[in-house]
Amino acid sequence: MSAEETLEVALHEVAHSRTGDKGNRVNASLIAYDPAIFPLLAEQVTAERVARLFSARGPVKVCRYDLPLLAAFNFVIDDVLEGGVNGSLNLDGHGKTLSFFLLTLPVRIPRHLLAARKRGFDDQPAPMRRVAS
């Protein structure tokens, strides 16, 4: 795949995420909007890259579980919440907001898949359309 055929975008352009926490562990889903993008995400959003993204929070282990029939992944990130809700003085020891952080990870996506994604938005009823920023 050449650089001319792809664009670097943040994950939130091609996927969404939800997170939860148990103790000092975050459980983060990553779901591709388009199943055609799943193999690209599998190649680029590795456990190692996620560990590097969260390195400032000191994770000791990141495991990725692939769910190809759902075009999704589950990341389990250990020791990333400074002890968790009950063990940290952090104002928000929950992992809920970390999905937004995961979605900042840059990925390279072929231009034609991004164009198809945009066309998909344009085909949606007005309440589902993306608001330009």
Side-chain angles (χ1 to χ4, degrees):
M1 192 179 323
S2 72
E4 292 78 34
E5 298 171 332
T6 64
L7 291 174
E8 185 172 284
V9 297
L11 261 178
H12 66 79
E13 291 288 332
V14 295
H16 61 99
S17 177
R18 296 291 304 252
T19 52
D21 58 84
K22 278 289 184 203
N24 202 15
R25 173 179 280 172
V26 168
N27 191 356
S29 66
L30 180 66
I31 304 114
Y33 289 128
D34 181 349
I37 293 175
F38 178 79
L40 298 168
L41 297 182
E43 179 183 301
Q44 297 179 51
V45 187
T46 62
E48 293 77 18
R49 277 193 80 199
V50 172
R52 280 196 304 274
L53 179 69
F54 283 88
S55 64
R57 299 188 67 95
V60 297
K61 184 178 175 186
V62 176
C63 290
R64 184 182 88 180
Y65 299 92
D66 296 7
L67 305 162
L69 296 179
L70 300 174
F73 306 91
N74 183 32
F75 290 92
V76 177
I77 308 168
D78 287 338
D79 297 332
V80 75
L81 295 175
E82 300 174 2
V85 174
N86 296 323
S88 172
L89 295 177
N90 192 343
L91 290 177
D92 184 6
H94 296 274
K96 294 176 184 172
T97 57
L98 295 179
S99 63
F100 297 102
F101 188 55
L102 176 62
L103 292 173
T104 64
L105 189 72
V107 291
R108 295 208 63 88
I109 303 295
R111 191 179 300 266
H112 74 277
L113 289 176
L114 290 172
R117 167 100 176 104
K118 181 169 179 6
R119 279 193 307 274
F121 272 125
D122 294 341
D123 294 341
Q124 296 295 317
M128 297 297 288
R129 287 190 183 154
R130 183 186 335 192
V131 177
S133 54

